[in-house]
Amino acid sequence: MKQNGIYKIAELADVSIGTVDRALHGRSGIRETTRNKVLRIARELNYSPNPAARTLSKGKANVRIGVCIPREIRLYYDQVRAGMLEEAQRVRSMGVELVHRPVPRLGAGEKKQLEALLRDGVNAIILTPGNPEIAEPLIDKAEDTGIRVVCTTTDAPRSKRSSIVAVDPELSGRLAAELMAKFVPAGSKAAVVTGMLSTTEHRLKATGFALGFCTECPGGEVVAVLEAHESEEESYDKTCDLLKREPRLHGVYVSTVNCLPVCKALRKLNLEGKVALITTDLFPQMVPHLLQGTIRTSIYQNPYVQGQTAVRILVDNLLNGANIPVSNLISPTLVLKSNLHAFREASSDHLPAHPAKPASGFQDAVLA
Amino acid sequence: MKQNGIYKIAELADVSIGTVDRALHGRSGIRETTRNKVLRIARELNYSPNPAARTLSKGKANVRIGVCIPREIRLYYDQVRAGMLEEAQRVRSMGVELVHRPVPRLGAGEKKQLEALLRDGVNAIILTPGNPEIAEPLIDKAEDTGIRVVCTTTDAPRSKRSSIVAVDPELSGRLAAELMAKFVPAGSKAAVVTGMLSTTEHRLKATGFALGFCTECPGGEVVAVLEAHESEEESYDKTCDLLKREPRLHGVYVSTVNCLPVCKALRKLNLEGKVALITTDLFPQMVPHLLQGTIRTSIYQNPYVQGQTAVRILVDNLLNGANIPVSNLISPTLVLKSNLHAFREASSDHLPAHPAKPASGFQDAVLA
DNA sequence: CTGAAAGCGCTAACAA
DNA sequence: TTGTTAGCGCTTTCAG
């Protein structure tokens, strides 16, 4: 007389565990009435499967999560990937595995890679949609088949994606504005350098900054929003123009990762440290500018945590049936001179994971 | 012919799986030579046990983690606890359970509770040592028995604890100083309000601030370090004294959670907004002071993440045999007006975890 | 359509 | 001191 799980259901429904299994999984070869009876009882029992048993029984690769993100931009996506890998590693023994289908650059060929993931038969997808119009139908198709899609860093808000893991762009902009207002005198002029305002995230950062700056800086004004399309040259040229055109400019907020050309322009015009610069994210080449004060602070999007979180919520859902939070808008972190070394991107000693003392339990014996 | 895990070892060692089990777990009833042979082979095979199988076989409560932290201080420990519970919940199906042995206040009766935990036979302990001298021998005793001890928020650096999860106190102080230097004019005077300088954390925060302020603020000077011993009255009185004594004081850094008396003192002397105040952590009563600018920013220690992390590293170790990082010094986060609502302590809508769409897989059927 | 049975890798009780 | 065996809850295959 088994008293647990699937056996209990079988007993109450007066069928075999095989039939219970068929009912629970929507498999074929079962009469509708039987299925309904089993499902009803399962619900009454508040049944929830035992992930350990399932993992053990199925063997490896219970849960396959497809990942489609760019290969690299200034380390940003490397960090996202690292976060995902770490989290996947933790649950590997539970049969979770990642299936990578990277795109070379954001949005480049994501249709092909997404289609490949669907063919691969993954159970869920993590994606940075670069081209929402193209990605949306595929996202919707996946979700309609029961494949969860989580967007990260960028969003496809009009799709059926289950969740978004990203920083709140409007908040980023407002945070930048609040700080800028503390750095520059009242009545200052400020500008934004962004990618493309047609991208939702960039637009929200820009408007967040503009609104925040007006509120926080008495008499302050945002005199320009430069679209640099992630091009170093365009960014440099437009910034130089602006700096010449607006001699009373006191602050610049760069809302993309593309801040080096702006630093270069400031140096060229001998304005380093005079114009307050607030940037986005962090990579090694930014470190000297932060240390010498050209960059006052940077709004860090925590790519590592984003990757971790995306995997985590999917695993929780797939393994434990946990709900997926509709959105995971994380608050950005501020990079300053004093905490600079605490960020992975700026510290040379990657992951100082000491071997620690011999582990407990059986490991004691094995490692001894 | 089983080819995996314990069977493989048994086959190669030419013993039964029962013997392998005995060897691996240091159980009795096995000859030393046999044990060594088995262990050698296990190591050669790079054997690592299957947590799913183990969980399934052992039934519930595979891994019990003892928790000894204060019941509450301004919500801080509530957040720590929430983080621990969430993380434990995620792995409950893997047989992880928390055993709570709280103390009423930091350090109050922790000897008794720690001893109780040892009697309870927990596999690991999470602790906020309030009284390092008292806790240390017990920590050492636990570690000597193979019971991992992780300290969080506060440390017992001279004990054998396996790890510490906390913010870097020196970094907190330096960060406060760097910001203070950006808020006040050159040549300003500043002060620190702390708990007791005999506590390592408080001392490090104070010295971090002092050093940082001298470096970052040209001509700046830290004119006082007030020890308030977490007493509201003492804090208020000493702050009032200081403000009267030092009319040219431009900044105050409160390195404990005890900031309300300082706000009160500033109001009393009509200095709200004139003296830049930087605080530590966050609780609802601070919100108005942040919004109106009395508190310029607060150094948030992320108690929720600390709780999460402490449980997480122990589970990873106990379940997967992962190494325990020697230290987990997390970087503090800055609370400002714009991101205020992103913190759990300041937002009314606790955990807006939407039910999301029907889950995938079998859940579809069950929940349908 | 449904049932029976053999594992998945490990633990624990019982034999030898 | 060592071997054998019956589960743990679920999946999957093979018979009915």
Side-chain angles (χ1 to χ4, degrees), chain A residues 43 49 54 86-87 90 143 148 171 178 312 316 320 323 326 337-338 354-355 357 362 366, chain B residues 24 43 49 54 86-87 90 143 148 171 178 312 316 320 323 326 337-338 354-355 357 362 366:
Chain A
R43 218 171 307 119
R54 195 211 286 257
E86 198 229 56
E87 195 59 27
R90 295 185 67 226
E143 289 278 355
R148 301 298 199 144
L171 174 56
E178 183 178 353
R312 178 186 174 117
D316 277 4
N320 304 325
N323 286 329
V326 173
K337 217 187 290 184
S338 16
H354 298 216
K357 301 190 295 182
F362 68 89
V366 175
Chain B
L24 255 27
R43 219 171 307 118
R54 194 212 285 260
E86 199 228 55
E87 195 59 25
R90 295 185 67 225
E143 289 278 356
R148 301 298 199 144
L171 174 56
E178 181 178 353
R312 178 188 174 115
D316 277 4
N320 304 325
N323 286 329
V326 174
K337 219 187 291 186
S338 15
H354 298 216
K357 302 191 294 181
F362 69 91
V366 175

Side-chain angles (χ1 to χ4, degrees), chain A residues 199-228:
Chain A
T199 311
T200 312
E201 278 89 10
H202 293 177
R203 198 173 50 245
L204 287 174
K205 284 183 182 175
T207 59
F209 182 84
L211 285 173
F213 193 69
C214 296
T215 318
E216 296 293 324
C217 182
E221 191 190 352
V222 174
V223 293
V225 178
L226 271 40
E227 290 187 73

